[in-house]
Amino acid sequence: MAVAQTVNYWLTEHPKIVNFRWSPTQSYASTWSFLVTAVSSYVIAAVTLHLLLTIILRRRRGLSLGPIPALHSLTMSLISAVIFVGILLSAAAEIRDTRWLWRRTRTTALQWFLCFPVGTRASGRVFFWSYAFYLSRYLHLLRTFFSVIRRRKLSFFQLINQSSLLCISFLWLEFSQSFQVVAILLTTVSYAVVYGYRFWTAIGLRGACFPFVVNCQAVLLGCLTVCHVGVLCMHMVKRGGCNGIGAWLFNSVLNAVISLLYLKFYVKTRSRSMATAVKPT
């Protein structure tokens, strides 16, 4: 019981969590200029590194990074798990504290998860963990550089995917966008599993007999698509609509682009996997 109370305090009731407020003057990396600079620097650095290694190494294989990728995967899995638990407990606390207000607007917990009331500000427990998720996106960018250094491989999809997800998580906070609680819950639980699996295989343990990571990402995109449809329906039905719907529309366009690129990548991966399986020995 004492452990549960301690965890609950540090993940939901700590003053910095309860009193959090997204602000350009109070929150690190919370300005548009920082976002644009970060995305531009990421793309330029990744492309430059890829070109330099291609020129220097030529036909040689990529360089070894030792245990760094495995440690990164373990770190990202743990961070994702903490964010998942934190935002889940924080959402429960917000529902408990504001249920009395929802009765006036006839809002249910399910509606709140998908559709914030108009006028919602980016402050409090849930947005603290949304901010933590946004900052964690910068750590995800390192995988691109690992891929370039180890395999001398840089894909257009990887650059677009990482850049878009960083922008999307910024928009969630900047416009107090609806749908972000569900999106973060689904994404972090997926990342906790995927990065845990990557750590598992990186230390030499046996992997799955099917493309585990690709399938997990496909399931995540499918779930997010269903939730996007739910937000649209909620916005059309609910009086006043959902908060941050303009940012949600832009978010939806980016997600559609990512989904199309990923679908192409998924079909290509599955075709290659099936071709390998039927290849005569």
Side-chain angles (χ1 to χ4, degrees), residues 90-109 112-113 116-117 120 123-126:
S90 294
E94 291 293 334
I95 291 172
R96 179 197 65 212
D97 294 346
T98 58
R99 189 181 295 275
W100 63 272
L101 180 62
W102 295 354
R103 293 173 184 172
R104 298 181 181 179
T105 58
R106 297 181 180 179
T107 300
T108 65
W112 179 80
F113 269 104
F116 287 154
T120 299
S123 61
R125 302 180 181 93
V126 166

Side-chain angles (χ1 to χ4, degrees), residues 218-231:
V219 170
L220 173 62
L221 283 175
C223 292
L224 291 176
T225 301
V226 172
C227 291
H228 270 287
V229 175
V231 173

